Amino acid sequence: MMFLPESKWSPRYETQFYTIRMNTYTILDKPSPSSDGTTTTFGTDECSLCNHNTKFPAVYYKIEVLRGNTQHTCLRRYSQFLYLSNKICHVTTERDTMHKRHLPPKTGPFHRDSPEFLEERMEGLYQFLMDVLLRPECVNNTWVEAFLELGASDENL
């Protein structure tokens, strides 16, 4: 698959091309129940490692993945971005500085409910993702594909 920035992407492109949007977040007070009544975690098992130890309320950033004529949404916490960063820093040319330089700061107890802080952090997380997706050594990485649930789009094709 090939990532294209949103400004260069079109739904007319075939399914091997995709782009992302990230322009909103949600604060969940508790885990969402799934259709079978159990508590659901967001994402694949690999990327959900952070979710099984979640404290609520929690901020989830909505990532829209657009691929061909399909679209799906991933909900991700800051800790999942950090987890992704730690996993992919082993394949980048900037091994030790990638996540330290590109991830925005973690939240403190006084910032969690601040819309300004959450908007700034969302923009920083989006810039981090763009940096990752524009790196040839990262774009087809298994961790990135799991993080964006790119396999979920295959089911709808």
Side-chain angles (χ1 to χ4, degrees):
M1 275 182 275
M2 184 174 182
F3 171 78
L4 293 173
E6 190 175 4
S7 61
K8 297 182 190 232
W9 182 83
S10 168
R12 295 185 316 253
Y13 293 156
E14 295 183 23
T15 57
Q16 71 262 24
F17 298 96
Y18 71 96
T19 193
I20 63 164
R21 285 187 201 138
M22 191 169 131
N23 51 24
T24 188
Y25 61 87
T26 186
I27 300 174
L28 298 178
D29 292 326
K30 58 184 176 180
S32 301
S34 63
S35 58
D36 64 0
T38 61
T39 301
T40 187
T41 57
F42 303 103
T44 62
D45 290 337
E46 293 292 345
C47 276
S48 294
L49 287 173
C50 305
N51 280 336
H52 73 291
N53 197 13
T54 297
K55 294 180 183 174
F56 287 89
V59 178
Y60 283 85
Y61 297 92
K62 294 182 180 182
I63 304 168
E64 291 177 72
V65 180
L66 299 97
R67 188 171 158 207
N69 289 323
T70 64
Q71 170 181 330
H72 69 272
T73 301
C74 306
L75 295 176
R76 297 288 179 251
R77 291 187 59 161
Y78 179 91
S79 57
Q80 291 173 291
F81 283 87
L82 182 61
Y83 185 79
L84 174 66
S85 176
N86 289 332
K87 288 296 182 183
I88 63 172
C89 74
H90 301 291
V91 297
T92 64
T93 54
E94 300 176 29
R95 298 177 199 285
D96 297 328
T97 60
M98 183 166 178
H99 74 277
K100 292 176 187 167
R101 192 167 50 137
H102 297 290
L103 280 176
K106 289 184 178 184
T107 185
F110 303 109
H111 291 106
R112 183 178 18 203
D113 297 327
S114 164
E116 296 84 18
F117 175 79
L118 294 175
E119 290 288 331
E120 283 180 36
R121 187 164 70 171
M122 181 173 60
E123 179 60 32
L125 293 172
Y126 177 76
Q127 291 303 323
F128 164 77
L129 267 182
M130 292 302 291
D131 181 53
V132 167
L133 293 172
L134 291 170
R135 293 172 182 262
E137 67 268 24
C138 292
V139 74
N140 289 319
N141 180 282
T142 0
W143 293 105
V144 173
E145 289 178 358
F147 183 83
L148 294 175
E149 298 178 14
L150 291 173
S153 296
D154 291 335
E155 297 167 5
N156 299 321
L157 300 178

